[in-house]
Each structure stands twice: as structure tokens, then as C-alpha cells.
Amino acid sequence: MTTIPHVTIIGSGFGGLYATRKLAGKEVRVTLIDRKNHHTFQPLLYQVATAGLSPAEIAPPIRAIFKRYKNIEVLLDKVTGFDLEHRQVLLHGDRVAYDYLIVAAGAGHAYFGHEEWAPMAPGLKTVEDATEIRRRILLAFEIAERQARLERKLAPLNFVIVGGGPTGVELAGAVAEIAHRVVAGNFRSIDPSRARVILLEGGPRVLPAYTEDLSRSAERQLRRLRVEVMDNCVVTGVEPHRVHYRDGSDGSLEASVILWAAGVAASPLGKMLDAPLDRAGRVLVKPDLTLPGHPEVFVIGDMASVKRADGKPVPGVAPAAIQMGEFAAKTILAEAALEATASGPREAEATEAGARRSFHYFDKGSLATIGRNSAIAEIGRLHLSGFIAWLTWLLVHVYFLIGFRNRLQVIWAWAWAYFRYQKGARLITGNSDSITPGEAHDEMSGAAKLETPSSLPSVPERKVS
Ligand SMILES: Cc1cc2nc3c(=O)[nH]c(=O)nc-3n(C[C@H](O)[C@H](O)[C@H](O)COP(=O)(O)OP(=O)(O)OC[C@H]3O[C@@H](n4cnc5c(N)ncnc54)[C@H](O)[C@@H]3O)c2cc1C
């Protein structure tokens, strides 16, 4: 190792970003690699998907965040593999060396072996997913209006959301608000307020990671927003504009839009690290968050499988990724300081001697938003729901947004939406000029028909903090 260690960080999500921030301006050289040029504030993606915020308000450019720090280099590229022996990260036609590596590439959607459902039922993970969902939701009203005008018949306007975890719940609440309040009165041939929003949950209750009283309260709040909640309802098949399910008996629902919020799988980069993985593809890291046999490689955030002191898994939430990023960075800085006063590589010695500290997750509580004035919060023994929980959610999310300008823009957009029942980002992007109702349906449904429906286990989604 040279005197100034080179730290390569993959991913500028919560884990990678906070690790980089901790190393900014310090005696290390950092290369931060991401396939996107922006950080994505995932907790507010559903607001982009439901036209409440514009993408730029939740996705600041990475270069702008670190422009003041000469020790940080940002690379826009997709990591394709690792050469752990030679301490190199593989990119398209390039390699980046490292003394320390922090892998924070996050997670994606899990369709439980039914990847063919993805085009018909998109999930929400990136800004592109969010704008595609926004397009489908807004286009559904336009198609219904045109159909009603052309054919003088009212087709059902159903929005079906699969998965009653935090993302499914917040999407259902926001779609209900759009249909029943925001665009109501904007159309002449249809009445959007008669649209049905249906949330399918495989288990016995929504938000299963919360205590039963809170999850029942969430369900009541959803029903108040006129979301139809179907518990114990396992999706068995998805085809263009139809969802098949089993809830005691077999049934199916016609759907203008189907959204997928039923499960997550860790980034495929985990597999390339040649380490043991858990069922969701997360790397089983050591207590100091490193790869077994590689004390110089940290795996953090949604990619890492770590246990808390009570034996429960550390949840896949932003505060956990932030704490892991900061922990990895502090470990590296401590060893770099030691290195500067001694000679030879230290990290292996330190780990063998058990000198490295273990990571401990500090749980500050969990929040899930449902809709206007509706949320739940679990902060230690304190259980909140309704307006107070919603206000807490609002303040926490504004506080954690990166960048002063973004915070102001978001506060303004929310205030406008709150008082005027308006959504400022109701843009249908992509070409819809020549789309007839039938073609538009095809375009929104994506893939070919599913041949054989098969059963889908319900997997609990993240508990949100
Ligand atoms: C819709 C949604 C809502 C959420 N809401 C909440 C919430 O309210 N509260 C909460 O606490 N948590 C929430 N979460 C969870 C939280 O966002 C994650 O736990 C957190 O983002 C994990 O951070 P991370 O750094 O591990 O990964 P991410 O934030 O996912 O970042 C991964 C980064 O790696 C990059 N990347 C991936 N693969 C490659 C590659 N091959 N090459 C280069 N770059 C790559 C990606 O572009 C991305 O920037 C939500 C998640 C989603 C999807």
C-alpha cells in the first residue's frame, strides 16, 4: 500500500455516498463509481412516480456534491466484475485499482423467478422506473377518456399494486389521491374519482414488519383513502392488464396499470465477489462488514447481510446503509492513520488480532407514509399514526435530502400540493402522439402473455426508517 491509500467505492446510494462524505478532504484518495451520474433519494421515488415531485428534486448530481474535494474522483461507469487477487474493479474496457474497496451497489426487484412479469408490472427503484410508472398512471386516465369518447363506454379504471410493504402502501395511497382528488374534475367523459385502487398483500396484514396495532392502523388509513386492501392474496400470474391471484379461491382482476412492490433482491455484484450469500442474494459479511478472507473489501447497505446484537437482521433501509458507509470509512481512516506511522499492510494484521470493531446498527425508529395526513411511526415504544406520524415523516425526509436547493424545492412542491390538491409534475413523457387506446394499452403492458401461472410466495419488504 502507498502512504495515501486508494479507496474505491461502488455505488453512490446511501451507503456509498455517506462513506465518501466521511472520506472527503481526508488523507486518502477516493474513486467513486456509479452507473448513474446522480444519487437517488429512493424514499421519495414514489413522489416522482405519482407526479408530486420532479426527478431533479430527488436526484442531485454526484459531481456537484463532491466538487469541493480534490481527493475525490467520480467515474460514471458500470462495474462488471472484480479481480480480488490483484485488487482491481472491472469496468467496461477499464480497471480501477484499490487498496480498500467498498461495495454498495444496492438491490433490485425480485419477481421470484418470473422475470417475464417485469415489463407488465414495473417496480420502483430508479428515476427511470419512477418516470415510467408516472407515464403509465397518467396515460391510463387519458386512454380511458379517449375510449369513453370514441366508444361511448366506460372501461374499468383499476390500478393494482402488488405487495403491501412500505413502497406498495405509499404508492397505493398516492395513486388514490391522484385519482380521487387531483385529477377529479379534469376530464369530461370519465369520472376519475370512480377509479379503483387495489392493494394485494400475500400475508395477513400490510406493513408486516411493523407491530400489529400499527399495521392495522395503516390498513384503516388506506381504506379511508378508498384503497381496497386484499390481505392473504397471493399473486399467481401477471399478463397484460390482468393479475391472477389466490386468496382461498382463484381469481383475477382487470388492471389499467399494475405496479410491483413485492420483493427485493440484492445486486448481482454480490455473486461476483465469490462469497456466501443469503436467500435474497446479500453477502454474508463478517462483523466488521468485510468479505471473509478479504479484510480490505467492505460490502455495505442493501447488499450486506448483517445481524444485530439481538440476532435479528439489520433491515434494508437508508439509515442502516448510512451507518454502514460511515463505519467502513472510519475503519479505513483509522487504519490509514496507523499505516502512516508504521510500515507494511495493516488491515490483515488488525483483523487477525481482532482489533477491528464490529458494526452495530443503531435503530432510530421506523416510519411509513400512507397518504395525505396519514402515516405510521414506531420510535422505540412510542407508536404514532395519522397526522403526527405524517408530519414526522415529512420533517425526517426533508432533513435527509441532499442539498439546500433540493430541500427548498421539495418543501415548496409539498406545500403547493397540500394546500391546492395539485401535483406539479404531471408530465407524460415519451411519445403518445399517435397512440390509439388499444396501442397505448399494448405499449403500457410490455411483454407477451404469461403461459402458466405459478405460485408466488409473499416475501416481506423492507421496514422503513
Ligand atoms: C421505492 C423505495 C422507497 C424506499 N423508502 C425508504 C424509506 O422511506 N426509508 C428508508 O429508510 N429506506 C427506504 N428505502 C430503502 C433505502 O432506499 C435503501 O435501503 C438504501 O437506498 C440502500 O442504500 P445502498 O447504498 O445500499 O443502495 P442504493 O441506495 O440502492 O444505491 C446503489 C447505487 O449503486 C449503483 N450501482 C448498482 N449497480 C452498479 C454497478 N454494477 N456499477 C456501478 N454502479 C452501480 C446504483 O446506480 C446506485 O446509485 C426505499 C427503497 C425504495 C426502492
Side-chain angles (χ1 to χ4, degrees), residues 428-464:
I428 298 178
T429 45
N431 185 6
S432 51
D433 288 359
S434 59
I435 294 174
T436 67
E439 283 166 349
H441 268 285
D442 290 346
E443 179 165 305
M444 294 211 311
S445 65
K449 279 197 172 167
L450 184 80
E451 303 294 344
T452 4
S454 64
S455 77
L456 168 71
S458 153
V459 167
E461 223 210 343
R462 79 203 141 77
K463 182 179 181 181
V464 169

Side-chain angles (χ1 to χ4, degrees), residues 11 13-15 34-35 42-43 79 104-106 124 301-302 316-319 462 464-465:
F14 284 102
D34 202 296
R35 60 186 176 185
Q42 289 175 357
V79 172
L124 183 59
D302 282 2
V317 292
R462 79 203 141 77
V464 169
S465 295

